[in-house]
Amino acid sequence: MGFLDALPLTVMDWLRGLLGQGLPAWGVELVVGLIKVVLILVVAILPVIVLTWLERKVLARGQDRFGPNLAGPYGLVVAFADAIKILTKEDIIPQAADRQVFRFAPALVLIPTLLVFTVVPMGRGMIAADLNVGILFAVAIGSLAVIAIIAATWSSGNKYSLLSMFRSVAQLVSYELPMAFSVLTVVLVSGGLSTVRIVEAQVIPFALVMPIAAVTYFLASLAEANRSPFDLLLGESEIVAGHNLEYSGMRFAMFYIGEYAHIFVIGALTTTLFLGGYQGPILPGYMWFLIKTMAVVYVVLWIRCTWPRMRIDQLLDFSWKLLVPLNLANLMLVALVFKLAGTGLLGSLLSLVVNVGLLVAVGTFLVRRARSSTSRRTRALVLGEV
Amino acid sequence: MLGRGMLKGLWVTLQHTISSFTSGPRRFPKRYLDGPVPRPEPSTQGMLTLQYPFEKYEMWPRFRGVLVHLRDPETGQSRCTACMACVRACPHGVLTVTGEGKGRERRAKTYTYELGRCIFCRLCVESCRFDAIEMGQEYEFVSTTQDQTLNLEEMLALGDRSGIKHTGEAWGQVE
Amino acid sequence: MAKAIFILVSLVTLVSAIGVVALPKVLHAALALVFALIGVGALYALLGAGYLAVVQVMIYVGAISVLIILAIMVSQRSMEDSQLQAFVPHRAVTAVVAGLLFVVLAGVSIGAAWPVVETAVPPDTIARLGEAFAGRYLLPFEVASVVLLVSLVGAVYVAREP
């Protein structure tokens, strides 16, 4: 553990010692806790500033455009321009709205996303709360997002918002299942729910040991964050941008911040679960965490600039008819492999083989079935016939 | 099949992302290109977006921009004789001309061109028999009032900038 | 410190719980229920039962509350600002029954001899829980899952188009 690696911890310890001279023990804990809260807020909000810029740039580059390039060098301060614009907007509450809930919902949108950061290890020993149920906590908190969306859409008093909510609930409830299964696979192998333990268990990143679980988790978290291609609750063409339709000004900004913070959460959790978290050679742990997270974030944005939006029936089919059975099978096979071969190198290798084999088997099965099928829909879905 | 199209799509966007940095007219990290930008070939890779207020495409020779006066290289003045042919030809009454002198010595004293009402039909140029006016390459003359005008000196300066020597050059009407 | 957090959390839980009963709009009551359930989860966490707390949030808040709210929304007239009037005609009877129930419950919970465990809570409760489910309590666990499966099949059968 090098000097740079431990630098934040050293600073924290020094601060703790400094405070200990003037304050009682509970006061020190209080101040340290507050500092941690502020740090988490910074870690959650700072990426939002970067991501609003990055998303536009990545989308633009993928489409041979510039993206923002007038506000500051390379358009870097575009987030601040956005903030100023949004802050000066009129705050409108529709007449049909349920005023209290309408006012309250935007805060509810942001809270679950911020809470997840408490269990993300951002470097060696750098975690706000190393719960022994860490990853389960993240999954549970993720399911709170539904409540926020329900509150926001219902209180808007708008039928498009309500349609968006029905879509969103179907989507979130469906994708929680494959997500839980893929997390379960990870927990099974690492032998603990604590996020730190999961990271420490990854001598080889789990993405290489069980690619099915990794891809499933990634896709399911895209669905939970309502990102493309699962962003159909935002369908501009059908339901006029869905759940935040009636919001304006700062309240809309809360949805906006929540959305971008959630992208960062996807990156952070995928990194923690499948990419080996803060582990990596040479560079300090937090740098590795940041690099891996940003790589995942880039993939999220890359997908946004490529894939079209899915239809609701395709979305549900994909979850219930492909991801859930696939992950159940994967869970059982991986459990078997690691029980028989141990969690060492052999087990990891066998697990990879089993994963790839499962994918190939399922693919062959689907193609066989589709070839012999007369249903146009099945053939189009699996074989890509038009 | 089985998501191959999706992967192919990702590959395409990745290629475009990379080529926006490595090829095309903006290969070098420079914000804006100098001078008029040549129109890209359809096969050109990389980023082609024109950053309009800072960059402009070259206009084609027969582009009908703002009306300009051509300078007579001998006298350095406009060849206009205030014959009023253009004034009569103009469907909108955009031009107001006054002349001075008699016979062959007659020259335009003032030549007022109301930009806001011009429809760029080129009938004035067609009617001119003295090789004096032509449609130029300039096109950014948006005005907030209807009666923004150009006078003779301004139009001569614009003519110098457009580099046109004779009326109808680009139209194949000059031998 | 722990006591202060306990008082704060219980206050939130109690206020939300009262809100569930007292709020006039059904959806407000449902949202208050969400907060009461989260508060209960926080109380579990304070008692050192982290797993129970997280499961409480995941199942009761993430799943059951959503179901309740959806049921409210698809049921008739709930989108209007109808006041809840269920208990109004029988207010006196309701008060007597509720009062009696409260007395009985309070009596039981005060009079009960709560067993105090001297040893500290073992740190790795989750593993022990898992072993218990897969070992000693395997049969009840499986029976519960079969019951759930049966209800699932039943739901599909009922919802199916004839």
Side-chain angles (χ1 to χ4, degrees), chain A residues 350-369:
Chain A
L350 265 178
S351 167
L352 179 64
V353 170
V354 163
N355 260 259
V356 173
L358 189 62
L359 262 184
V360 171
V362 169
T364 327
F365 173 73
L366 277 177
V367 170
R368 282 258 173 88
R369 282 298 298 274

Side-chain angles (χ1 to χ4, degrees), chain A residues 61-62 64-66 69-70 72 298 302-303 305-307 363 366-367 371 381-384, chain B residues 1-2 6 9-11 13-14 16-17 19-21 26 31-32 46-49 51 54:
Chain A
R61 289 283 173 171
D64 290 343
R65 293 186 288 112
F66 275 96
N69 64 349
L70 285 181
Y298 177 76
W302 180 16
I303 284 176
C305 100
T306 308
W307 291 353
L366 277 177
V367 170
R371 285 233 171 95
L381 261 179
V382 180
L383 300 172
Chain B
M1 96 197 174
L2 280 179
M6 295 193 130
L10 283 178
W11 175 237
T13 42
L14 186 66
H16 276 265
T17 307
S19 74
S20 77
F21 287 104
R26 287 164 214 283
R31 272 175 90 178
Y32 307 119
M47 210 152 30
L48 305 171
T49 320
Q51 296 297 96
F54 311 103

Side-chain angles (χ1 to χ4, degrees), chain A residues 166-195:
Chain A
F166 281 119
R167 288 178 177 197
S168 154
V169 169
Q171 173 182 337
L172 289 176
V173 169
S174 311
Y175 276 84
E176 216 158 83
L177 219 60
M179 185 188 234
F181 278 131
S182 55
V183 169
L184 202 59
T185 322
V186 170
V187 169
L188 204 75
V189 177
S190 61
L193 290 167
S194 150
T195 41

